[in-house]
Amino acid sequence: MFEIHKYTAADKEAWNAFVAESKNGTFLFDRNYMDYHHDRFDDNSLMFYAKDKLYAILPANRCGDCLCSHGGLTYGGLVMTNKATASEVLALFEELNAYLRGTGIGKVRYKAIPWIYHHVPAEEDLYAIFKTCNAQLVGRDISSSIIMSNKPKWHHGRKYGITRCRKNGVTIQQSDDYAAFWQILQGNLQARYGVRPVHTLDEMLLLKSRFPDNIQLYTAQLDGRVIGGTVLYLTGKVLHTQYISSTSEGKHLGAVDALFDCILNKDYANYPIFDFGKSTEGDASTLNESLIYQKEGFGGRGVCYDTYEWRV
């Protein structure tokens, strides 16, 4: 039923057009986003055609004999046409497994796209990998999300920061001062976890230039100094925080509280869904309780980001 092709640069235009019209794609699957770090991965993305029309795509890379949902993306399952049906997706995974066996791949590691990012329901793949592939759940991260039409009340502690910032003259605004925010972000990540941000400053500036409407920075400023901020990804249906960080002064004043008061209750109050992102570490077995407590204080509630594996 399906013709399966490995993605090449010549397919970029068709790939991007399909993502834009799919029922569960986001701008993270656009090749102008995915390919900013193409040198780090052995890209093995696949395209599925039915009757000469593109039916689905699978962002992926190869690691030895394993086909992995793309390592540069938080999620990356099957991106499907609006016309996809359960029986057709079952056939697609049967044919995918046969195709992979012919290329020497013996295992698939599959990061499903969380339901909050679906434009319409799109979990045909989850049923197919259960029924056809005998897939096993091997990883489960937890994120914190808000359905904006039914926002839970904030914890009292979150509201104190808003008042404190207002009294001390802290201002919240959309900003292009990524350099100042990155200095804060890098310092915090290095001090607390011994790691760097996933994106370098230059990479984030490149992505911002390519997706000016999808990537926004909000900062908290005091006397002209950035004391906190958050990078937002706007995917159409979901507003996602890619990074959140503040200085010690910003933490004392509650800059993050003031930031999200502006974002959630004013500038993006009518956005369908807000997603704070994952609060798990390493292989997802460690929950950062202080981090998720902060997100839950703003009304965030659990959404799982799942990873599956199967032998082909």
Side-chain angles (χ1 to χ4, degrees), residues 10-300:
D11 299 311
K12 180 177 178 178
E13 184 175 343
W15 175 288
N16 288 346
F18 182 83
V19 169
E21 297 297 325
S22 67
K23 69 174 181 174
N24 59 338
T26 70
F27 79 94
L28 276 72
F29 299 132
D30 188 292
R31 299 308 303 203
N32 290 310
Y33 187 96
M34 287 180 61
D35 291 344
Y36 84 88
H37 49 16
H38 65 89
D39 55 319
R40 301 182 200 172
F41 302 97
D42 180 11
D43 192 282
N44 205 133
S45 298
L46 300 174
M47 305 175 75
F48 302 83
Y49 288 86
K51 298 179 180 179
D52 297 323
K53 291 186 177 181
L54 192 53
Y55 184 93
I57 59 174
L58 182 62
N61 61 275
R62 183 165 182 165
C63 300
D65 72 339
C66 181
L67 183 75
C68 305
S69 284
H70 202 283
L73 301 173
T74 305
Y75 49 84
L78 191 72
V79 181
M80 295 173 276
T81 174
N82 280 298
K83 297 179 180 179
T85 66
S87 59
E88 291 169 350
V89 175
L90 280 172
L92 183 152
F93 277 95
E94 290 176 355
E95 295 180 29
L96 170 63
N97 286 338
Y99 168 85
L100 294 177
R101 286 193 293 270
T103 65
I105 288 175
K107 182 173 72 172
V108 176
R109 187 173 180 86
Y110 187 89
K111 295 185 290 190
I113 302 170
W115 66 267
I116 56 174
Y117 290 95
H118 299 174
H119 307 298
V120 297
E123 292 189 340
E124 291 86 358
D125 62 329
L126 295 185
Y127 179 68
I129 65 174
F130 157 76
K131 186 178 188 302
T132 301
C133 308
N134 193 31
Q136 304 297 308
L137 179 68
V138 296
R140 169 163 281 171
D141 293 282
I142 187 166
S143 182
S144 301
S145 300
I146 302 170
I147 304 300
M148 296 289 280
S149 62
N150 188 23
K151 293 185 284 190
K153 292 182 179 179
W154 287 23
H155 291 175
H156 290 299
R158 301 273 65 89
K159 296 180 180 179
Y160 294 147
I162 300 168
T163 302
R164 198 177 302 121
C165 283
R166 188 179 298 121
K167 287 181 178 179
N168 284 274
V170 175
T171 60
I172 307 299
Q173 61 193 47
Q174 192 172 324
S175 172
D176 289 321
D177 198 351
Y178 285 81
F181 174 69
W182 235 251
Q183 187 173 0
I184 297 169
L185 178 65
Q186 287 178 321
N188 283 339
L189 288 177
Q190 185 62 43
R192 187 158 189 178
Y193 304 108
V195 299
R196 299 186 177 206
V198 173
H199 304 90
T200 66
L201 173 59
D202 286 344
E203 287 172 343
M204 183 51 66
L205 291 174
L206 174 64
L207 292 173
K208 168 65 176 175
S209 70
R210 291 179 177 178
F211 299 95
D213 296 329
N214 299 101
I215 300 175
Q216 303 291 340
L217 170 66
Y218 271 71
T219 58
Q221 297 191 20
L222 178 63
D223 299 328
R225 295 175 289 108
V226 176
I227 61 171
T230 181
V231 175
L232 303 174
Y233 277 16
L234 289 75
T235 65
K237 182 181 177 183
V238 180
L239 181 62
H240 168 74
T241 53
Q242 184 70 15
Y243 296 107
I244 310 169
S245 202
S246 62
T247 64
S248 57
E249 183 179 25
K251 292 173 185 175
H252 172 71
L253 292 173
V256 170
D257 300 334
L259 276 164
F260 287 111
D261 176 54
C262 177
I263 293 165
L264 294 173
N265 297 324
K266 298 171 186 174
D267 289 8
Y268 292 100
N270 295 320
Y271 224 82
I273 297 174
F274 188 89
D275 182 36
F276 279 104
K278 299 185 295 185
S279 297
T280 38
E281 300 172 7
D283 62 357
S285 62
T286 300
L287 177 65
N288 188 324
E289 294 189 16
S290 63
L291 181 59
I292 200 166
Y293 177 80
Q294 181 188 52
K295 296 171 182 178
E296 290 169 344
F298 293 114

